[in-house]
Amino acid sequence: MSLKNRNLVTIDDLSNGEIEAVFSLTDEMSELMDKQSAVCRGKIMASLFFEPSTRTRLSFEAAMHRLGGSVITAVDGGTTSLAKGESLADMARVIGSYADIIVIRHPWEGAAKIFADYAGVPVINAGDGGHEHPTQTLCDLYTLLKERQTIEGLNIALFGDLENGRTIHSLTYALARFGANIGFPSNAGRELPEYVKRKLTVEYRGQFKKYKDLPPAIQKRLFPLDAVYITPSSPHQLAMMPEININIEIKLKAMKAGVDALYVNRRQLERLSSIAEGEGLKEDYPVIDKKFLKGKEYKEALVMHPLPRVDELAYELDDDPKSMYFKQAARGVPIRMALLTLLLGEKEISIPAKEDLSVPKRDYPLYRHDFGFIDHNSKCVSQLDTEKRYIKPEFKIVSKEPLTLSCVYCEHEIHPQYIASSDPHHEKSLDSRKYHSANTYWVRNIKPENLIIFDTEDSAKENGFKPSYYAGASRDRNDPGKVSKEQ
Amino acid sequence: MSLKNRNLVTIDDLSNGEIEAVFSLTDEMSELMDKQSAVCRGKIMASLFFEPSTRTRLSFEAAMHRLGGSVITAVDGGTTSLAKGESLADMARVIGSYADIIVIRHPWEGAAKIFADYAGVPVINAGDGGHEHPTQTLCDLYTLLKERQTIEGLNIALFGDLENGRTIHSLTYALARFGANIGFPSNAGRELPEYVKRKLTVEYRGQFKKYKDLPPAIQKRLFPLDAVYITPSSPHQLAMMPEININIEIKLKAMKAGVDALYVNRRQLERLSSIAEGEGLKEDYPVIDKKFLKGKEYKEALVMHPLPRVDELAYELDDDPKSMYFKQAARGVPIRMALLTLLLGEKEISIPAKEDLSVPKRDYPLYRHDFGFIDHNSKCVSQLDTEKRYIKPEFKIVSKEPLTLSCVYCEHEIHPQYIASSDPHHEKSLDSRKYHSANTYWVRNIKPENLIIFDTEDSAKENGFKPSYYAGASRDRNDPGKVSKEQ
Amino acid sequence: MSLKNRNLVTIDDLSNGEIEAVFSLTDEMSELMDKQSAVCRGKIMASLFFEPSTRTRLSFEAAMHRLGGSVITAVDGGTTSLAKGESLADMARVIGSYADIIVIRHPWEGAAKIFADYAGVPVINAGDGGHEHPTQTLCDLYTLLKERQTIEGLNIALFGDLENGRTIHSLTYALARFGANIGFPSNAGRELPEYVKRKLTVEYRGQFKKYKDLPPAIQKRLFPLDAVYITPSSPHQLAMMPEININIEIKLKAMKAGVDALYVNRRQLERLSSIAEGEGLKEDYPVIDKKFLKGKEYKEALVMHPLPRVDELAYELDDDPKSMYFKQAARGVPIRMALLTLLLGEKEISIPAKEDLSVPKRDYPLYRHDFGFIDHNSKCVSQLDTEKRYIKPEFKIVSKEPLTLSCVYCEHEIHPQYIASSDPHHEKSLDSRKYHSANTYWVRNIKPENLIIFDTEDSAKENGFKPSYYAGASRDRNDPGKVSKEQ
């Protein structure tokens, strides 16, 4: 079996079995670190970093060199200029004609998907805004696996900025898929985004539970934790380039570190994880240091961090054999060697025969109509002027009640308030060219391929639709007869 | 025959036969794209980009890697800083001692020539300000050749910013030399620079004619066009780097797309090209889209563009087999592989035996005196403080009536108003240390090696010259007796 | 013998014999420049330039490529951003896990030492602020050696900014160690830093003498000079990057070029060097041109310069066979090839059997206490917030009278005013928790391992110490009885 010409845009682009095959090749690659291999001789990797980065970029480039391949690099610290320039699609097509594989980091969420759609060669996402960073997740998973032999059933606590940490998003999906339990502290303002939570619960069939609501027997089984994972207290994009202004005010505002969000994986309903219950309230960002780790729940915990650190991880832990962060970084090279080799088709893989733990991908119906501007995430690549020239909005309809659409580029979700049908003849009971509240039973009656959505009534009217009897939001969604019309 | 140690500063540095030899090797190189060749193993290419660029740089670097060579890269997005730093000559000498070949892009016109003069290794111009970009021209020509088998007699329409488009300048020379007909729309404010026009008419012996003034039989033969070539609506230097401020106001001002400038190549006087006669007036920049191409004159036209595009080329054309722009870009790699191989002397060439179509270079007399500052182009490398320390002004005397000097660096032309002789003893009839109007018959009497020029009478006086009887501008240039002295 | 895994942070990291071994391999490498060697195939050099640089970086990268190795590069023109980012130690550890050898340039003095301390792979200092630039010194020395066959006894004049010229600092140490005589003009405001002078006199046992105070016979032996070496008139960091603002006002202020500081090497007390005695006063920076070199003392002098030049070296000298500056630059490639090969352990060396001229390193006692902030050099890496998280101040106690401590990172020296003992029980005669003036005989009584220093009395008091009878600064340092207590 081959991964040739596959992309790695989100961690879900690899099945659990495929991830294990990558790790198996990683073990081989680790042996080769001292002598250059010729596995990728004659191949060119384009390393395109439109956000400051040193670590990830150099790790990929070192990996390609160790494989005997060549590298062409473009680094751009500015982001605003991109809007004035060419589209990602054009850039992807041109660079795709120069190189055999592309690694891209970009500040816009979904940018890596555009590249994958247009480049004609394999594309690896090295971070697209606040969306995903799947190769960091591979480093994290591989480290856990090397230290604990398995991911299934591990109790992992995640600290830090869970809202904007793209490494966290990719990681939670992977941990969930491999059957780990994940603990999240309740940090107001930095919680996991809703769309990540939905994916964890609906797609990976997990549950979120408060620690204190768990039966004592289960509480007990959660400790000691296998690992704590903390993200930087300020974005490392500041590390190398001075020009970027990121609003870090939001990120640094006071947070409560007390635990009340618990993610319970679908396969391990009996095993729940919790962290820092006893931590009480804390101003500002958590700091992992020797004192913090004295709690008995941490006595066997690996300390993990995607690096670079700022203040949230004390230097006094560096010599502790349970500190994994430099190992996570160092393992990035053989992991990326394995990945490049496989996507370039220079080696075949054999998927381990044992049951694949990953949740099969759902085939949601797609929403592609372009009625009015669908404003869902100002950092989404589909919202940008340069890209709108060729991208049509595209959403997965992931839920009908409440009506929920997930952008295929950035995965942010919207909950449109008004709906209509593009084909009233197939849905006789609907008036032609009328719009309805999304909060009525009619949402079930419109076929996905005919669905039209609007943010506001004004938007619906501008597109030539009139309010139906069911345009009021308060109508009973199960019984259209029971209506007390608003106005 | 070998191109070893030759430079490619302007497209005229290669004869037609040599260009065809490059293309012949390009065909071979295209076969090698999948496997690394060892043709240039052990050779180092320095890739120096003092202007933002991704495409051209990565294309050159990919080419060198595909040949098994190595690359050292310096990228600098700022331009003002260069004036504070070292001279181009010093940089060329030092980098020339590190690398085996140098590729340079620079915002100053003539910068590549300085590098070629001092580096001691072959230098390829990857764009020097608004002057030339010869390897883009090779991509354009090669693409035309692959699609139409010949350049001779093709009817090519050029759209866009012909004034500042360095790719256009190099391309017009090459098209003229290979015998194509070129159509220019009348775009006020963006026309071809005068010096380009002079070169096309005088050096390549072409004619500019208005389409409407052509005999109907010839008008008819011009259609359908073989290709339309459009330049970006704003400089792509903005694409990757945020710091550069280029005054784009001039570039974006309204223009008329109606045709009235027609370039007629010397060999094909009977074949003229025209474009867009029926287009009427258009506000702002032209846009090539499906609607535009519906005109019958475009029915077989290839659509060409140097990329990156901004708004002037619609995405809806991307799937059209006549759209060449991604092919132009992709072909840049094998073309540059061929070029690097030949300039490094790793392969010999055999010039096709058939008649070489190119116009032989003229040996114009040189003007090297340094009386006063000769202000001709603020972007010319010879005008910059760092370079004035070692560069003397140097001009070709390309015409005596009117007196016209062409800068050897930027090729901009000047028309000095006053002249004198540095050696009055050889020219008895001239008063010693007197200056004359350039607009008199005496311009013919002064030998080129003795010619001194002045911009103004004040400048002449500051340099110790006095007005002669022929200093007035209105004297009859053919009969010095017929003078009605002014003032 | 092997240099494998050694660092080159300061020129003193290599003994004279080792330097000669590097030069011997350089001779071999010069032969290989045309064909790629495979000596370092499979090895990766990380090229980290946190200050603008083209020359040095490209020279290192070209060297690694000529050896068949690979290069990963990070360039950052901004410096302030680093303070917001990660620590040097973290960066060193991570990059050290990607690459086999690291070359670093950094604006902070001592940064290369930190990298060497933490990277786990060999580190080469390519310039750390105003501290050292040892590979430039190797280029300078090698050039002198190739042209004059020996360094011992050469008379070398140094011009320019001796205060901030890191290339000068490394060079003076090396010249002193190899037994050259060095002449310094008296340029107020740009003289050698005190710590460099102390090292030259105390560690290399040289003497500074005024030229006019020398016996005439010795004066005579100093001429003609073997080489003049001039530094750029403004920092070349401006050359490539526009964003950096360096205060060059200080550097450009008027200076006197008259000679009055003479450095006399310990081994050649009879041979002294002088320069420009007759030059008289000069406003602003010296300029080396044909006129300057007409003095008979320069008739055989090589002209040397680290490049890039600004205005201090006239272009008219470029064709003079005694002008060495382009040779210095060109020789950088084979020298760095030799150095990389040796530090990577790809070749062994044999130290020439002849007597090693270098001064053995002194083992000074270390001062590591952390009482109060020891402010000694705002550009020292140990003074920066990011680094203070893990670095403790560390000084060599290089002299007791006057008490002088030299920072192990930047080598700047401090002369603390107040002292105390951390262990009063071992030093009975001292009151417990009392501080004393450093200017008393008690400084000799406190064991180095117990020494505590304070900048001010306030600082001592804040740390819980009280003034002793010997806290006044005017006490007789040899006789504690003879005290006329102040205030």
Side-chain angles (χ1 to χ4, degrees), chain C residues 119-191:
Chain C
V121 298
V123 169
I124 300 176
N125 181 5
D128 57 337
H131 182 222
E132 287 217 24
H133 187 1
T135 60
Q136 176 66 46
T137 295
L138 293 178
C139 297
D140 301 340
L141 280 186
Y142 184 73
T143 296
L144 282 169
L145 210 56
K146 291 318 261 186
E147 306 294 327
R148 291 287 189 258
Q149 283 71 53
T150 179
I151 309 290
E152 191 173 351
L154 291 186
N155 298 315
I156 314 288
L158 303 182
F159 285 94
D161 183 352
L162 311 184
E163 183 190 8
N164 301 295
R166 60 187 167 203
T167 66
I168 287 286
H169 304 168
S170 301
L171 179 60
T172 59
Y173 302 149
L175 289 174
R177 281 168 45 188
F178 277 95
N181 301 309
I182 317 169
F184 309 100
S186 61
N187 21 1
R190 299 175 195 282
E191 290 158 356

Side-chain angles (χ1 to χ4, degrees), chain B residues 28-89:
Chain B
E28 285 179 41
M29 290 298 172
S30 301
E31 308 295 311
L32 294 176
M33 292 290 286
D34 276 345
K35 48 189 170 298
Q36 191 178 40
S37 124
V39 171
C40 294
R41 177 145 299 159
K43 298 297 179 189
I44 296 179
M45 178 186 95
S47 178
L48 308 178
F49 279 70
F50 297 95
E51 258 192 343
S53 163
T54 308
R55 193 179 322 275
T56 304
R57 180 171 64 80
L58 295 185
S59 173
F60 268 111
E61 296 182 9
M64 191 62 177
H65 288 305
R66 295 242 182 259
L67 293 166
S70 301
V71 177
I72 55 177
T73 304
V75 173
D76 181 17
T79 59
T80 52
S81 66
L82 290 164
K84 297 178 198 159
E86 68 180 320
S87 67
L88 291 169

Side-chain angles (χ1 to χ4, degrees), chain A residues 28-37 39 66 337:
Chain A
E28 285 179 42
M29 290 296 173
S30 302
E31 308 295 310
L32 294 177
M33 292 291 285
D34 277 344
K35 46 187 173 300
Q36 190 178 41
S37 125
V39 171
R66 295 243 182 260
M337 287 168 75

Side-chain angles (χ1 to χ4, degrees), chain B residues 318-467:
Chain B
D318 291 2
D319 295 330
D320 188 324
K322 296 203 300 295
S323 292
M324 287 293 116
Y325 29 96
F326 294 122
K327 280 194 182 175
Q328 287 167 266
R331 283 163 174 161
V333 177
I335 286 169
R336 288 170 176 123
M337 288 169 74
L339 191 63
L340 291 166
T341 301
L342 293 172
L343 300 189
L344 283 166
E346 302 294 336
K347 295 222 175 184
E348 306 279 289
I349 60 167
S350 56
I351 300 286
K354 66 174 171 169
E355 179 200 5
D356 194 321
L357 292 169
S358 70
V359 183
K361 282 198 190 188
R362 302 236 183 145
D363 281 328
Y364 291 111
L366 289 177
Y367 178 82
R368 283 180 170 133
H369 293 294
D370 192 12
F371 286 90
F373 174 69
I374 302 172
D375 190 2
H376 62 290
N377 170 10
S378 63
K379 289 174 193 157
C380 177
V381 73
S382 71
Q383 307 279 52
L384 289 144
D385 287 340
T386 43
E387 315 309 312
K388 279 182 190 168
R389 283 179 274 168
Y390 64 97
I391 289 181
K392 293 272 170 269
E394 194 171 332
F395 293 85
K396 293 179 194 164
I397 304 170
V398 294
S399 162
K400 286 210 163 179
E401 294 176 48
L403 182 61
T404 308
L405 281 71
S406 165
C407 173
V408 300
Y409 296 102
C410 72
E411 300 192 74
H412 278 231
E413 295 178 351
I414 53 174
H415 301 282
Q417 296 304 303
Y418 300 96
I419 56 172
S421 171
S422 63
D423 188 2
H425 302 295
H426 287 152
E427 288 147 328
K428 307 285 185 195
S429 55
L430 285 165
D431 288 337
S432 171
R433 307 298 285 171
K434 293 251 170 112
Y435 67 87
H436 324 275
S437 165
N439 191 23
T440 60
Y441 81 109
W442 292 109
V443 74
R444 277 177 269 157
N445 289 12
I446 302 175
K447 289 181 192 164
E449 62 268 29
N450 295 331
L451 186 71
I452 298 171
I453 62 170
F454 299 108
D455 276 357
T456 61
E457 297 200 53
D458 284 349
S459 166
K461 288 169 186 167
E462 279 162 23
N463 281 282
F465 290 81
K466 289 175 187 165

Side-chain angles (χ1 to χ4, degrees), chain C residues 28-56:
Chain C
E28 285 179 42
M29 290 298 173
S30 302
E31 308 295 310
L32 294 176
M33 292 290 285
D34 276 345
K35 48 188 169 299
Q36 190 178 42
S37 124
V39 171
C40 293
R41 177 145 301 158
K43 297 297 179 188
I44 296 178
M45 179 185 95
S47 179
L48 307 178
F49 279 69
F50 298 94
E51 258 191 343
S53 163
T54 308
R55 194 178 322 277
T56 304

